[in-house]
PDB file of all heavy atoms in Angstrom:
ATOM      1  N   ASP A   1      86.690  79.512 102.887  1.00  0.00           N
ATOM      2  CA  ASP A   1      87.151  78.225 103.405  1.00  0.00           C
ATOM      3  C   ASP A   1      88.665  78.098 103.382  1.00  0.00           C
ATOM      4  O   ASP A   1      89.200  77.048 103.753  1.00  0.00           O
ATOM      5  CB  ASP A   1      86.528  77.083 102.589  1.00  0.00           C
ATOM      6  CG  ASP A   1      85.014  77.079 102.689  1.00  0.00           C
ATOM      7  OD1 ASP A   1      84.511  77.295 103.813  1.00  0.00           O
ATOM      8  OD2 ASP A   1      84.338  76.873 101.665  1.00  0.00           O
ATOM      9  N   SER A   2      89.347  79.150 102.948  1.00  0.00           N
ATOM     10  CA  SER A   2      90.811  79.147 102.950  1.00  0.00           C
ATOM     11  C   SER A   2      91.318  79.074 104.379  1.00  0.00           C
ATOM     12  O   SER A   2      90.860  79.820 105.250  1.00  0.00           O
ATOM     13  CB  SER A   2      91.326  80.430 102.273  1.00  0.00           C
ATOM     14  OG  SER A   2      92.650  80.710 102.639  1.00  0.00           O
ATOM     15  N   SER A   3      92.283  78.188 104.633  1.00  0.00           N
ATOM     16  CA  SER A   3      92.834  78.091 105.991  1.00  0.00           C
ATOM     17  C   SER A   3      93.541  79.380 106.382  1.00  0.00           C
ATOM     18  O   SER A   3      93.626  79.714 107.564  1.00  0.00           O
ATOM     19  CB  SER A   3      93.801  76.907 106.085  1.00  0.00           C
ATOM     20  OG  SER A   3      94.889  77.060 105.195  1.00  0.00           O
ATOM     21  N   TRP A   4      94.044  80.118 105.396  1.00  0.00           N
ATOM     22  CA  TRP A   4      94.679  81.408 105.676  1.00  0.00           C
ATOM     23  C   TRP A   4      93.648  82.534 105.773  1.00  0.00           C
ATOM     24  O   TRP A   4      93.986  83.636 106.183  1.00  0.00           O
ATOM     25  CB  TRP A   4      95.661  81.783 104.561  1.00  0.00           C
ATOM     26  CG  TRP A   4      96.851  80.883 104.410  1.00  0.00           C
ATOM     27  CD1 TRP A   4      97.256  79.896 105.253  1.00  0.00           C
ATOM     28  CD2 TRP A   4      97.793  80.898 103.329  1.00  0.00           C
ATOM     29  NE1 TRP A   4      98.394  79.303 104.765  1.00  0.00           N
ATOM     30  CE2 TRP A   4      98.754  79.898 103.593  1.00  0.00           C
ATOM     31  CE3 TRP A   4      97.926  81.671 102.176  1.00  0.00           C
ATOM     32  CZ2 TRP A   4      99.827  79.644 102.732  1.00  0.00           C
ATOM     33  CZ3 TRP A   4      98.983  81.424 101.311  1.00  0.00           C
ATOM     34  CH2 TRP A   4      99.926  80.419 101.584  1.00  0.00           C
ATOM     35  N   LEU A   5      92.400  82.272 105.369  1.00  0.00           N
ATOM     36  CA  LEU A   5      91.364  83.297 105.160  1.00  0.00           C
ATOM     37  C   LEU A   5      91.910  84.386 104.235  1.00  0.00           C
ATOM     38  O   LEU A   5      92.087  85.544 104.599  1.00  0.00           O
ATOM     39  CB  LEU A   5      90.862  83.904 106.467  1.00  0.00           C
ATOM     40  CG  LEU A   5      89.578  84.730 106.337  1.00  0.00           C
ATOM     41  CD1 LEU A   5      88.458  83.945 105.676  1.00  0.00           C
ATOM     42  CD2 LEU A   5      89.108  85.249 107.678  1.00  0.00           C
ATOM     43  N   MET A   6      92.131  83.970 103.005  1.00  0.00           N
ATOM     44  CA  MET A   6      92.755  84.824 101.988  1.00  0.00           C
ATOM     45  C   MET A   6      91.703  85.631 101.234  1.00  0.00           C
ATOM     46  O   MET A   6      90.611  85.143 100.934  1.00  0.00           O
ATOM     47  CB  MET A   6      93.546  83.948 101.012  1.00  0.00           C
ATOM     48  CG  MET A   6      94.212  84.692  99.883  1.00  0.00           C
ATOM     49  SD  MET A   6      95.018  83.569  98.698  1.00  0.00           S
ATOM     50  CE  MET A   6      96.478  83.122  99.586  1.00  0.00           C
ATOM     51  N   SER A   7      92.040  86.881 100.948  1.00  0.00           N
ATOM     52  CA  SER A   7      91.208  87.756 100.128  1.00  0.00           C
ATOM     53  C   SER A   7      92.084  88.431  99.081  1.00  0.00           C
ATOM     54  O   SER A   7      93.304  88.541  99.249  1.00  0.00           O
ATOM     55  CB  SER A   7      90.523  88.837 100.980  1.00  0.00           C
ATOM     56  OG  SER A   7      89.704  88.286 101.979  1.00  0.00           O
ATOM     57  N   MET A   8      91.457  88.908  98.011  1.00  0.00           N
ATOM     58  CA  MET A   8      92.197  89.632  96.977  1.00  0.00           C
ATOM     59  C   MET A   8      91.316  90.732  96.412  1.00  0.00           C
ATOM     60  O   MET A   8      90.086  90.706  96.532  1.00  0.00           O
ATOM     61  CB  MET A   8      92.627  88.691  95.849  1.00  0.00           C
ATOM     62  CG  MET A   8      91.475  88.045  95.109  1.00  0.00           C
ATOM     63  SD  MET A   8      91.956  87.220  93.577  1.00  0.00           S
ATOM     64  CE  MET A   8      92.387  88.650  92.571  1.00  0.00           C
ATOM     65  N   VAL A   9      91.965  91.729  95.790  1.00  0.00           N
ATOM     66  CA  VAL A   9      91.228  92.811  95.143  1.00  0.00           C
ATOM     67  C   VAL A   9      92.026  93.296  93.937  1.00  0.00           C
ATOM     68  O   VAL A   9      93.259  93.360  93.980  1.00  0.00           O
ATOM     69  CB  VAL A   9      90.964  93.975  96.130  1.00  0.00           C
ATOM     70  CG1 VAL A   9      92.255  94.597  96.625  1.00  0.00           C
ATOM     71  CG2 VAL A   9      90.072  95.039  95.505  1.00  0.00           C
ATOM     72  N   VAL A  10      91.316  93.597  92.867  1.00  0.00           N
ATOM     73  CA  VAL A  10      91.945  94.097  91.646  1.00  0.00           C
ATOM     74  C   VAL A  10      91.519  95.550  91.456  1.00  0.00           C
ATOM     75  O   VAL A  10      90.331  95.840  91.260  1.00  0.00           O
ATOM     76  CB  VAL A  10      91.544  93.266  90.415  1.00  0.00           C
ATOM     77  CG1 VAL A  10      92.231  93.825  89.163  1.00  0.00           C
ATOM     78  CG2 VAL A  10      91.907  91.799  90.612  1.00  0.00           C
ATOM     79  N   ALA A  11      92.479  96.472  91.537  1.00  0.00           N
ATOM     80  CA  ALA A  11      92.197  97.891  91.333  1.00  0.00           C
ATOM     81  C   ALA A  11      92.144  98.215  89.843  1.00  0.00           C
ATOM     82  O   ALA A  11      92.565  97.421  88.994  1.00  0.00           O
ATOM     83  CB  ALA A  11      93.277  98.734  92.006  1.00  0.00           C
ATOM     84  N   ALA A  12      91.632  99.397  89.542  1.00  0.00           N
ATOM     85  CA  ALA A  12      91.680  99.879  88.164  1.00  0.00           C
ATOM     86  C   ALA A  12      93.141  99.993  87.739  1.00  0.00           C
ATOM     87  O   ALA A  12      94.010 100.326  88.534  1.00  0.00           O
ATOM     88  CB  ALA A  12      90.974 101.222  88.052  1.00  0.00           C
ATOM     89  N   GLN A  13      93.388  99.700  86.491  1.00  0.00           N
ATOM     90  CA  GLN A  13      94.756  99.739  85.970  1.00  0.00           C
ATOM     91  C   GLN A  13      94.965 100.998  85.114  1.00  0.00           C
ATOM     92  O   GLN A  13      94.048 101.422  84.421  1.00  0.00           O
ATOM     93  CB  GLN A  13      95.021  98.486  85.129  1.00  0.00           C
ATOM     94  CG  GLN A  13      94.770  97.185  85.872  1.00  0.00           C
ATOM     95  CD  GLN A  13      95.751  96.926  86.996  1.00  0.00           C
ATOM     96  OE1 GLN A  13      96.963  96.968  86.793  1.00  0.00           O
ATOM     97  NE2 GLN A  13      95.226  96.661  88.190  1.00  0.00           N
ATOM     98  N   PRO A  14      96.164 101.622  85.173  1.00  0.00           N
ATOM     99  CA  PRO A  14      97.309 101.264  86.014  1.00  0.00           C
ATOM    100  C   PRO A  14      97.094 101.716  87.463  1.00  0.00           C
ATOM    101  O   PRO A  14      96.436 102.720  87.715  1.00  0.00           O
ATOM    102  CB  PRO A  14      98.459 102.031  85.373  1.00  0.00           C
ATOM    103  CG  PRO A  14      97.815 103.249  84.794  1.00  0.00           C
ATOM    104  CD  PRO A  14      96.462 102.799  84.318  1.00  0.00           C
ATOM    105  N   HIS A  15      97.693 100.973  88.393  1.00  0.00           N
ATOM    106  CA  HIS A  15      97.593 101.308  89.809  1.00  0.00           C
ATOM    107  C   HIS A  15      98.805 102.112  90.272  1.00  0.00           C
ATOM    108  O   HIS A  15      98.775 102.730  91.324  1.00  0.00           O
ATOM    109  CB  HIS A  15      97.462 100.024  90.620  1.00  0.00           C
ATOM    110  CG  HIS A  15      96.997 100.234  92.026  1.00  0.00           C
ATOM    111  ND1 HIS A  15      95.908 101.026  92.352  1.00  0.00           N
ATOM    112  CD2 HIS A  15      97.466  99.773  93.221  1.00  0.00           C
ATOM    113  CE1 HIS A  15      95.736 101.033  93.659  1.00  0.00           C
ATOM    114  NE2 HIS A  15      96.670 100.286  94.207  1.00  0.00           N
ATOM    115  N   PHE A  16      99.862 102.080  89.474  1.00  0.00           N
ATOM    116  CA  PHE A  16     101.075 102.865  89.714  1.00  0.00           C
ATOM    117  C   PHE A  16     101.379 103.658  88.443  1.00  0.00           C
ATOM    118  O   PHE A  16     101.226 103.149  87.330  1.00  0.00           O
ATOM    119  CB  PHE A  16     102.270 101.972  90.050  1.00  0.00           C
ATOM    120  CG  PHE A  16     102.225 101.359  91.414  1.00  0.00           C
ATOM    121  CD1 PHE A  16     101.454 100.237  91.664  1.00  0.00           C
ATOM    122  CD2 PHE A  16     102.962 101.900  92.458  1.00  0.00           C
ATOM    123  CE1 PHE A  16     101.409  99.668  92.923  1.00  0.00           C
ATOM    124  CE2 PHE A  16     102.927 101.339  93.720  1.00  0.00           C
ATOM    125  CZ  PHE A  16     102.151 100.215  93.948  1.00  0.00           C
ATOM    126  N   LYS A  17     101.822 104.873  88.630  1.00  0.00           N
ATOM    127  CA  LYS A  17     102.140 105.702  87.471  1.00  0.00           C
ATOM    128  C   LYS A  17     103.269 105.109  86.643  1.00  0.00           C
ATOM    129  O   LYS A  17     103.326 105.308  85.426  1.00  0.00           O
ATOM    130  CB  LYS A  17     102.517 107.114  87.927  1.00  0.00           C
ATOM    131  CG  LYS A  17     101.380 107.868  88.593  1.00  0.00           C
ATOM    132  CD  LYS A  17     101.811 109.249  89.060  1.00  0.00           C
ATOM    133  CE  LYS A  17     100.702 109.961  89.811  1.00  0.00           C
ATOM    134  NZ  LYS A  17     101.097 111.304  90.278  1.00  0.00           N
ATOM    135  N   ALA A  18     104.173 104.379  87.284  1.00  0.00           N
ATOM    136  CA  ALA A  18     105.333 103.836  86.587  1.00  0.00           C
ATOM    137  C   ALA A  18     105.050 102.512  85.891  1.00  0.00           C
ATOM    138  O   ALA A  18     105.931 101.973  85.211  1.00  0.00           O
ATOM    139  CB  ALA A  18     106.500 103.658  87.558  1.00  0.00           C
ATOM    140  N   GLN A  19     103.860 101.973  86.055  1.00  0.00           N
ATOM    141  CA  GLN A  19     103.517 100.736  85.362  1.00  0.00           C
ATOM    142  C   GLN A  19     103.675 100.912  83.860  1.00  0.00           C
ATOM    143  O   GLN A  19     103.295 101.956  83.303  1.00  0.00           O
ATOM    144  CB  GLN A  19     102.054 100.364  85.633  1.00  0.00           C
ATOM    145  CG  GLN A  19     101.825  99.356  86.737  1.00  0.00           C
ATOM    146  CD  GLN A  19     100.355  99.078  86.928  1.00  0.00           C
ATOM    147  OE1 GLN A  19      99.726  99.676  87.792  1.00  0.00           O
ATOM    148  NE2 GLN A  19      99.800  98.195  86.120  1.00  0.00           N
ATOM    149  N   THR A  20     104.185  99.889  83.202  1.00  0.00           N
ATOM    150  CA  THR A  20     104.220  99.930  81.741  1.00  0.00           C
ATOM    151  C   THR A  20     102.853  99.532  81.199  1.00  0.00           C
ATOM    152  O   THR A  20     102.011  98.975  81.920  1.00  0.00           O
ATOM    153  CB  THR A  20     105.289  98.974  81.198  1.00  0.00           C
ATOM    154  OG1 THR A  20     104.903  97.617  81.482  1.00  0.00           O
ATOM    155  CG2 THR A  20     106.658  99.247  81.822  1.00  0.00           C
ATOM    156  N   ALA A  21     102.639  99.793  79.921  1.00  0.00           N
ATOM    157  CA  ALA A  21     101.363  99.465  79.301  1.00  0.00           C
ATOM    158  C   ALA A  21     101.121  97.962  79.276  1.00  0.00           C
ATOM    159  O   ALA A  21      99.981  97.511  79.135  1.00  0.00           O
ATOM    160  CB  ALA A  21     101.314 100.034  77.888  1.00  0.00           C
ATOM    161  N   ASP A  22     102.197  97.196  79.420  1.00  0.00           N
ATOM    162  CA  ASP A  22     102.100  95.736  79.351  1.00  0.00           C
ATOM    163  C   ASP A  22     102.193  95.096  80.729  1.00  0.00           C
ATOM    164  O   ASP A  22     102.573  93.931  80.851  1.00  0.00           O
ATOM    165  CB  ASP A  22     103.208  95.180  78.437  1.00  0.00           C
ATOM    166  CG  ASP A  22     103.007  93.704  78.127  1.00  0.00           C
ATOM    167  OD1 ASP A  22     101.859  93.314  77.882  1.00  0.00           O
ATOM    168  OD2 ASP A  22     104.001  92.939  78.163  1.00  0.00           O
ATOM    169  N   GLU A  23     101.855  95.837  81.786  1.00  0.00           N
ATOM    170  CA  GLU A  23     101.905  95.277  83.133  1.00  0.00           C
ATOM    171  C   GLU A  23     100.565  95.460  83.843  1.00  0.00           C
ATOM    172  O   GLU A  23      99.886  96.473  83.643  1.00  0.00           O
ATOM    173  CB  GLU A  23     102.992  95.959  83.971  1.00  0.00           C
ATOM    174  CG  GLU A  23     104.391  95.445  83.696  1.00  0.00           C
ATOM    175  CD  GLU A  23     105.398  96.031  84.669  1.00  0.00           C
ATOM    176  OE1 GLU A  23     105.234  97.197  85.067  1.00  0.00           O
ATOM    177  OE2 GLU A  23     106.359  95.324  85.027  1.00  0.00           O
ATOM    178  N   THR A  24     100.227  94.487  84.662  1.00  0.00           N
ATOM    179  CA  THR A  24      99.031  94.567  85.495  1.00  0.00           C
ATOM    180  C   THR A  24      99.393  94.175  86.927  1.00  0.00           C
ATOM    181  O   THR A  24     100.351  93.434  87.155  1.00  0.00           O
ATOM    182  CB  THR A  24      97.913  93.650  84.973  1.00  0.00           C
ATOM    183  OG1 THR A  24      98.437  92.335  84.735  1.00  0.00           O
ATOM    184  CG2 THR A  24      97.321  94.196  83.696  1.00  0.00           C
ATOM    185  N   ILE A  25      98.593  94.684  87.872  1.00  0.00           N
ATOM    186  CA  ILE A  25      98.912  94.529  89.294  1.00  0.00           C
ATOM    187  C   ILE A  25      97.630  94.222  90.062  1.00  0.00           C
ATOM    188  O   ILE A  25      96.561  94.771  89.746  1.00  0.00           O
ATOM    189  CB  ILE A  25      99.551  95.827  89.851  1.00  0.00           C
ATOM    190  CG1 ILE A  25     100.958  96.014  89.291  1.00  0.00           C
ATOM    191  CG2 ILE A  25      99.610  95.825  91.380  1.00  0.00           C
ATOM    192  CD1 ILE A  25     101.535  97.384  89.575  1.00  0.00           C
ATOM    193  N   PHE A  26      97.730  93.348  91.039  1.00  0.00           N
ATOM    194  CA  PHE A  26      96.649  93.206  92.015  1.00  0.00           C
ATOM    195  C   PHE A  26      97.249  92.885  93.376  1.00  0.00           C
ATOM    196  O   PHE A  26      98.437  92.599  93.512  1.00  0.00           O
ATOM    197  CB  PHE A  26      95.598  92.170  91.586  1.00  0.00           C
ATOM    198  CG  PHE A  26      96.083  90.747  91.546  1.00  0.00           C
ATOM    199  CD1 PHE A  26      95.963  89.910  92.646  1.00  0.00           C
ATOM    200  CD2 PHE A  26      96.654  90.230  90.373  1.00  0.00           C
ATOM    201  CE1 PHE A  26      96.389  88.604  92.607  1.00  0.00           C
ATOM    202  CE2 PHE A  26      97.087  88.915  90.317  1.00  0.00           C
ATOM    203  CZ  PHE A  26      96.964  88.094  91.445  1.00  0.00           C
ATOM    204  N   TRP A  27      96.377  92.916  94.393  1.00  0.00           N
ATOM    205  CA  TRP A  27      96.819  92.849  95.786  1.00  0.00           C
ATOM    206  C   TRP A  27      95.959  91.870  96.549  1.00  0.00           C
ATOM    207  O   TRP A  27      94.783  91.682  96.235  1.00  0.00           O
ATOM    208  CB  TRP A  27      96.698  94.256  96.384  1.00  0.00           C
ATOM    209  CG  TRP A  27      97.007  94.400  97.851  1.00  0.00           C
ATOM    210  CD1 TRP A  27      98.230  94.635  98.413  1.00  0.00           C
ATOM    211  CD2 TRP A  27      96.081  94.352  98.930  1.00  0.00           C
ATOM    212  NE1 TRP A  27      98.120  94.741  99.781  1.00  0.00           N
ATOM    213  CE2 TRP A  27      96.812  94.565 100.130  1.00  0.00           C
ATOM    214  CE3 TRP A  27      94.705  94.145  99.029  1.00  0.00           C
ATOM    215  CZ2 TRP A  27      96.204  94.579 101.381  1.00  0.00           C
ATOM    216  CZ3 TRP A  27      94.099  94.158 100.275  1.00  0.00           C
ATOM    217  CH2 TRP A  27      94.858  94.380 101.431  1.00  0.00           C
ATOM    218  N   GLY A  28      96.535  91.235  97.551  1.00  0.00           N
ATOM    219  CA  GLY A  28      95.762  90.342  98.394  1.00  0.00           C
ATOM    220  C   GLY A  28      96.326  90.307  99.803  1.00  0.00           C
ATOM    221  O   GLY A  28      97.412  90.837 100.066  1.00  0.00           O
ATOM    222  N   TYR A  29      95.571  89.688 100.701  1.00  0.00           N
ATOM    223  CA  TYR A  29      96.069  89.536 102.072  1.00  0.00           C
ATOM    224  C   TYR A  29      95.367  88.364 102.730  1.00  0.00           C
ATOM    225  O   TYR A  29      94.364  87.838 102.227  1.00  0.00           O
ATOM    226  CB  TYR A  29      95.872  90.824 102.864  1.00  0.00           C
ATOM    227  CG  TYR A  29      94.572  90.976 103.612  1.00  0.00           C
ATOM    228  CD1 TYR A  29      94.540  90.896 105.009  1.00  0.00           C
ATOM    229  CD2 TYR A  29      93.363  91.215 102.948  1.00  0.00           C
ATOM    230  CE1 TYR A  29      93.358  91.056 105.718  1.00  0.00           C
ATOM    231  CE2 TYR A  29      92.178  91.382 103.652  1.00  0.00           C
ATOM    232  CZ  TYR A  29      92.175  91.300 105.027  1.00  0.00           C
ATOM    233  OH  TYR A  29      91.011  91.459 105.731  1.00  0.00           O
ATOM    234  N   ALA A  30      95.928  87.926 103.871  1.00  0.00           N
ATOM    235  CA  ALA A  30      95.303  86.853 104.637  1.00  0.00           C
ATOM    236  C   ALA A  30      95.504  87.118 106.110  1.00  0.00           C
ATOM    237  O   ALA A  30      96.515  87.687 106.536  1.00  0.00           O
ATOM    238  CB  ALA A  30      95.877  85.495 104.244  1.00  0.00           C
ATOM    239  N   LEU A  31      94.514  86.681 106.902  1.00  0.00           N
ATOM    240  CA  LEU A  31      94.488  87.003 108.328  1.00  0.00           C
ATOM    241  C   LEU A  31      95.123  85.935 109.222  1.00  0.00           C
ATOM    242  O   LEU A  31      95.482  86.216 110.353  1.00  0.00           O
ATOM    243  CB  LEU A  31      93.038  87.221 108.773  1.00  0.00           C
ATOM    244  CG  LEU A  31      92.418  88.571 108.401  1.00  0.00           C
ATOM    245  CD1 LEU A  31      90.912  88.544 108.593  1.00  0.00           C
ATOM    246  CD2 LEU A  31      93.026  89.699 109.219  1.00  0.00           C
ATOM    247  N   HIS A  32      95.237  84.703 108.713  1.00  0.00           N
ATOM    248  CA  HIS A  32      95.733  83.603 109.548  1.00  0.00           C
ATOM    249  C   HIS A  32      97.088  83.130 109.032  1.00  0.00           C
ATOM    250  O   HIS A  32      97.189  82.090 108.380  1.00  0.00           O
ATOM    251  CB  HIS A  32      94.722  82.463 109.559  1.00  0.00           C
ATOM    252  CG  HIS A  32      93.377  82.848 110.075  1.00  0.00           C
ATOM    253  ND1 HIS A  32      92.206  82.191 109.724  1.00  0.00           N
ATOM    254  CD2 HIS A  32      92.995  83.847 110.915  1.00  0.00           C
ATOM    255  CE1 HIS A  32      91.179  82.758 110.327  1.00  0.00           C
ATOM    256  NE2 HIS A  32      91.633  83.770 111.052  1.00  0.00           N
ATOM    257  N   THR A  33      98.121  83.880 109.351  1.00  0.00           N
ATOM    258  CA  THR A  33      99.437  83.597 108.774  1.00  0.00           C
ATOM    259  C   THR A  33     100.135  82.399 109.407  1.00  0.00           C
ATOM    260  O   THR A  33     101.125  81.916 108.872  1.00  0.00           O
ATOM    261  CB  THR A  33     100.352  84.826 108.893  1.00  0.00           C
ATOM    262  OG1 THR A  33     100.674  85.054 110.278  1.00  0.00           O
ATOM    263  CG2 THR A  33      99.695  86.065 108.319  1.00  0.00           C
ATOM    264  N   ASN A  34      99.622  81.925 110.537  1.00  0.00           N
ATOM    265  CA  ASN A  34     100.241  80.783 111.205  1.00  0.00           C
ATOM    266  C   ASN A  34      99.658  79.446 110.752  1.00  0.00           C
ATOM    267  O   ASN A  34     100.146  78.386 111.143  1.00  0.00           O
ATOM    268  CB  ASN A  34     100.089  80.907 112.730  1.00  0.00           C
ATOM    269  CG  ASN A  34      98.628  80.927 113.156  1.00  0.00           C
ATOM    270  OD1 ASN A  34      97.755  81.374 112.403  1.00  0.00           O
ATOM    271  ND2 ASN A  34      98.349  80.457 114.357  1.00  0.00           N
ATOM    272  N   LYS A  35      98.605  79.491 109.921  1.00  0.00           N
ATOM    273  CA  LYS A  35      97.955  78.265 109.470  1.00  0.00           C
ATOM    274  C   LYS A  35      98.626  77.716 108.207  1.00  0.00           C
ATOM    275  O   LYS A  35      99.102  78.482 107.356  1.00  0.00           O
ATOM    276  CB  LYS A  35      96.478  78.539 109.173  1.00  0.00           C
ATOM    277  CG  LYS A  35      95.679  79.054 110.374  1.00  0.00           C
ATOM    278  CD  LYS A  35      95.498  77.974 111.423  1.00  0.00           C
ATOM    279  CE  LYS A  35      94.634  78.458 112.579  1.00  0.00           C
ATOM    280  NZ  LYS A  35      93.260  78.750 112.190  1.00  0.00           N
ATOM    281  N   VAL A  36      98.633  76.387 108.087  1.00  0.00           N
ATOM    282  CA  VAL A  36      99.179  75.720 106.910  1.00  0.00           C
ATOM    283  C   VAL A  36      98.206  75.890 105.750  1.00  0.00           C
ATOM    284  O   VAL A  36      96.977  75.766 105.917  1.00  0.00           O
ATOM    285  CB  VAL A  36      99.428  74.225 107.197  1.00  0.00           C
ATOM    286  CG1 VAL A  36      99.833  73.475 105.943  1.00  0.00           C
ATOM    287  CG2 VAL A  36     100.496  74.076 108.280  1.00  0.00           C
ATOM    288  N   GLY A  37      98.725  76.170 104.556  1.00  0.00           N
ATOM    289  CA  GLY A  37      97.886  76.395 103.392  1.00  0.00           C
ATOM    290  C   GLY A  37      97.118  75.156 102.976  1.00  0.00           C
ATOM    291  O   GLY A  37      97.472  74.027 103.333  1.00  0.00           O
ATOM    292  N   ASP A  38      96.074  75.343 102.178  1.00  0.00           N
ATOM    293  CA  ASP A  38      95.262  74.221 101.704  1.00  0.00           C
ATOM    294  C   ASP A  38      95.941  73.480 100.559  1.00  0.00           C
ATOM    295  O   ASP A  38      95.692  72.290 100.367  1.00  0.00           O
ATOM    296  CB  ASP A  38      93.899  74.742 101.248  1.00  0.00           C
ATOM    297  CG  ASP A  38      93.139  75.412 102.379  1.00  0.00           C
ATOM    298  OD1 ASP A  38      92.749  74.699 103.323  1.00  0.00           O
ATOM    299  OD2 ASP A  38      92.966  76.647 102.340  1.00  0.00           O
ATOM    300  N   TYR A  39      96.797  74.160  99.816  1.00  0.00           N
ATOM    301  CA  TYR A  39      97.489  73.548  98.682  1.00  0.00           C
ATOM    302  C   TYR A  39      99.002  73.577  98.884  1.00  0.00           C
ATOM    303  O   TYR A  39      99.690  72.586  98.674  1.00  0.00           O
ATOM    304  CB  TYR A  39      97.094  74.264  97.389  1.00  0.00           C
ATOM    305  CG  TYR A  39      95.613  74.218  97.137  1.00  0.00           C
ATOM    306  CD1 TYR A  39      94.780  75.266  97.534  1.00  0.00           C
ATOM    307  CD2 TYR A  39      95.031  73.115  96.531  1.00  0.00           C
ATOM    308  CE1 TYR A  39      93.408  75.212  97.320  1.00  0.00           C
ATOM    309  CE2 TYR A  39      93.660  73.041  96.310  1.00  0.00           C
ATOM    310  CZ  TYR A  39      92.861  74.100  96.717  1.00  0.00           C
ATOM    311  OH  TYR A  39      91.498  74.039  96.511  1.00  0.00           O
ATOM    312  N   VAL A  40      99.516  74.730  99.307  1.00  0.00           N
ATOM    313  CA  VAL A  40     100.922  74.846  99.677  1.00  0.00           C
ATOM    314  C   VAL A  40     101.008  74.504 101.159  1.00  0.00           C
ATOM    315  O   VAL A  40     100.525  75.255 101.996  1.00  0.00           O
ATOM    316  CB  VAL A  40     101.472  76.259  99.403  1.00  0.00           C
ATOM    317  CG1 VAL A  40     102.921  76.373  99.857  1.00  0.00           C
ATOM    318  CG2 VAL A  40     101.337  76.611  97.924  1.00  0.00           C
TER     319      VAL A  40
END
């Protein structure tokens, strides 16, 4: 129901070799970049 049609995914950590032990990373994307957000 996101106006941007937003999705996210969390990969196994670490996702980069240079990540420190105290860092985590995830990624997301959206298909409708011209739409106004539901909260922002």
Side-chain angles (χ1 to χ4, degrees):
D1 298 318
S2 160
S3 61
W4 295 350
L5 193 54
M6 178 185 283
S7 301
M8 62 168 291
V9 62
V10 180
Q13 304 292 307
H15 195 48
F16 287 80
K17 295 179 184 180
Q19 263 179 264
T20 67
D22 190 42
E23 280 187 326
T24 49
I25 289 169
F26 67 92
W27 176 88
Y29 90 108
L31 282 167
H32 301 154
T33 68
N34 61 331
K35 300 291 183 65
V36 173
D38 299 293
Y39 301 95
V40 177

